[in-house]
Amino acid sequence: MLVVTTENIAGHRIDRVIGQTFGVVVRSRGLGGNITASIRSIFGGEIKEYTEMIEDARKQAIDRMIQNAHAMGANAIVMMRFDSGEIGQTMSEIVAYGTAVVIVRE
């Protein structure tokens, strides 16, 4: 499945727009990870525990978005975007979304 952040895909034309597709992931670092991250935040710099958690969540959100688009009959996703937010003080929500389409090679 081709996933792009652009409106069009070079060398292809959009034959059919199926609709919106998305993937959602909510993650928590856990008590041990939060304590370690809190200690690191005192000294500044990158907090690797949170970086890894968000990177993994983005990958998982993309995978879920692709699964949803595939189930809808799409072979590509255009205008893919991320959105994120917090739930409580320890959980992060990542949403990957875009428009599921059927493309054909020109």
Side-chain angles (χ1 to χ4, degrees):
M1 171 123 4
L2 195 56
V3 179
V4 298
T5 58
T6 57
E7 190 173 338
N8 298 302
I9 301 171
H12 296 79
R13 71 176 169 78
I14 295 175
D15 186 56
R16 188 166 39 112
V17 175
I18 296 176
Q20 66 178 355
T21 183
F22 63 92
V24 180
V25 176
V26 177
R27 289 262 177 111
S28 173
R29 183 75 228 155
L31 182 61
N34 283 331
I35 291 171
T36 303
S38 295
I39 293 170
R40 285 185 195 254
S41 70
I42 293 171
F43 301 105
E46 181 180 10
I47 302 172
K48 294 180 181 174
E49 289 81 6
Y50 286 133
T51 300
E52 290 174 10
M53 180 184 78
I54 296 300
E55 187 174 330
D56 290 346
R58 281 182 173 229
K59 289 177 183 175
Q60 192 173 16
I62 290 173
D63 289 344
R64 289 182 179 174
M65 176 187 66
I66 290 172
Q67 288 175 353
N68 288 336
H70 186 69
M72 297 165 69
N75 65 358
I77 299 169
V78 295
M79 300 294 292
M80 194 283 289
R81 300 286 187 267
F82 284 110
D83 195 5
S84 63
E86 291 184 11
I87 300 173
Q89 293 184 347
T90 59
M91 293 177 275
S92 295
E93 171 196 39
I94 302 291
V95 181
Y97 63 95
T99 303
V101 297
V102 174
I103 58 170
V104 292
R105 195 174 282 278
E106 289 186 318

